[in-house]
Amino acid sequence: MNGANSTLLDHIRFVLVETSHTGNLGATARAMKTMGLSRMHLVRPKSLPDAEALARASGADDLLANATLHDRLVDALAGCQLVIGSSARLRAVEWPLLEPPECARHLLAAARTGEVALVLGRERSGLTNEELALCHYLVHIPTHPGFSSLNLAAAAQVFAYEIRQAFRAGQGETLPREDRDLATAEALAAFHDHLTRTLVEIGFADPEQSGKLSRRLRRLFLRARPDWTEINILRGILSAAQGRKDPARFRRRERTEEGSP
Ligand code: SAH
């Protein structure tokens, strides 16, 4: 593997949210390492990797040792320009849905220009709607419809395998290169907080009910994949709507321009 190619896989992180069983942390590390992936991010794991995790990692201890810990999912996604959440259930909400091979191609294509994340949920309950709201896409491993929940590390193995196959086939090349400087997950999250606050302040949204509206709007902006300039424009509009900008500033400028020779 040459240096440039290994960087591509190094841009892909697997984010595990509130994993209960340390054995699953180890087995996921093993699943990732067999496919050349190395970056694990753990959000509030129930316990830190222990002897059981090391036994299941079976030589992938380095991934566990280098795993990064976070309190909040949004922190684990810092710097990511593409976030894909995985779910054992097909959700009622309309999320753009990918199959594992497409998910792998999207991750690799975006990894050419920035950081990307695949998010895996809790063993018992998966990911919450609030957590999925941070994701651009959802990926679902098509299973027998009556029994769709894979073990966490087994699901990680399927995703890692598909990433490896797409990487081998060089299919990352087939999706157009993203030439815009896309806003990162934390910039989008900060924009959404600002939007939600503003909608309540300007009397558009009922503070009690704004959660649902906020999720819908999140989906809209995630679909659009705004870049940094667009996010700055949108935040400027929100500040103006909050009355933090003085409309007279344009009149002042007109006068200055008229007055200039
Ligand atoms: N009972 C949970 C299942 C969680 S399984 C639920 O209904 O959501 C733990 C994690 O493994 C999931 O959050 C998801 O990240 C992954 N996973 C398991 N089966 C999957 C499938 N069929 N497709 C995509 N991800 C899956």
Side-chain angles (χ1 to χ4, degrees), residues 144-177:
H144 184 290
F147 198 65
S148 65
S149 175
L150 277 77
N151 162 266
L152 173 64
Q157 185 73 77
V158 171
F159 297 129
Y161 170 81
E162 291 295 351
I163 291 169
R164 182 94 209 147
Q165 302 325 304
F167 177 65
R168 284 178 62 228
Q171 284 174 356
E173 310 284 323
T174 61
L175 282 177
R177 183 192 284 269

Side-chain angles (χ1 to χ4, degrees), residues 63-203:
L63 271 68
L64 295 174
N66 294 327
T68 315
L69 287 172
H70 304 274
D71 282 334
R72 300 182 313 157
L73 176 58
V74 69
D75 299 327
L77 302 177
C80 289
Q81 293 183 327
L82 176 67
V83 179
I84 302 185
S86 57
S87 176
R89 281 170 290 150
L90 291 170
R91 308 277 167 151
V93 198
E94 282 289 307
W95 303 94
L97 191 64
L98 302 174
E99 298 222 349
E102 287 176 283
C103 161
R105 288 199 295 275
H106 275 78
L107 288 172
L108 281 171
R112 290 162 70 196
T113 49
E115 295 282 314
V116 301
L118 178 77
V119 187
L120 294 125
R122 300 159 186 82
E123 289 94 333
R124 269 183 189 282
S125 54
L127 295 168
T128 64
N129 279 343
E130 286 69 27
E131 287 159 351
L132 287 172
L134 296 172
C135 303
H136 293 97
Y137 296 96
L138 204 61
V139 59
H140 173 73
I141 303 166
T143 56
H144 184 290
F147 198 65
S148 65
S149 175
L150 277 77
N151 162 266
L152 173 64
Q157 185 73 77
V158 171
F159 297 129
Y161 170 81
E162 291 295 351
I163 291 169
R164 182 94 209 147
Q165 302 325 304
F167 177 65
R168 284 178 62 228
Q171 284 174 356
E173 310 284 323
T174 61
L175 282 177
R177 183 192 284 269
E178 193 55 76
D179 56 6
R180 296 180 306 136
D181 193 11
L182 296 174
T184 51
E186 66 274 30
L188 279 170
F191 163 68
H192 286 299
D193 288 346
H194 192 176
L195 178 62
T196 310
R197 275 196 316 276
T198 310
L199 293 181
V200 171
E201 272 175 47
I202 65 175

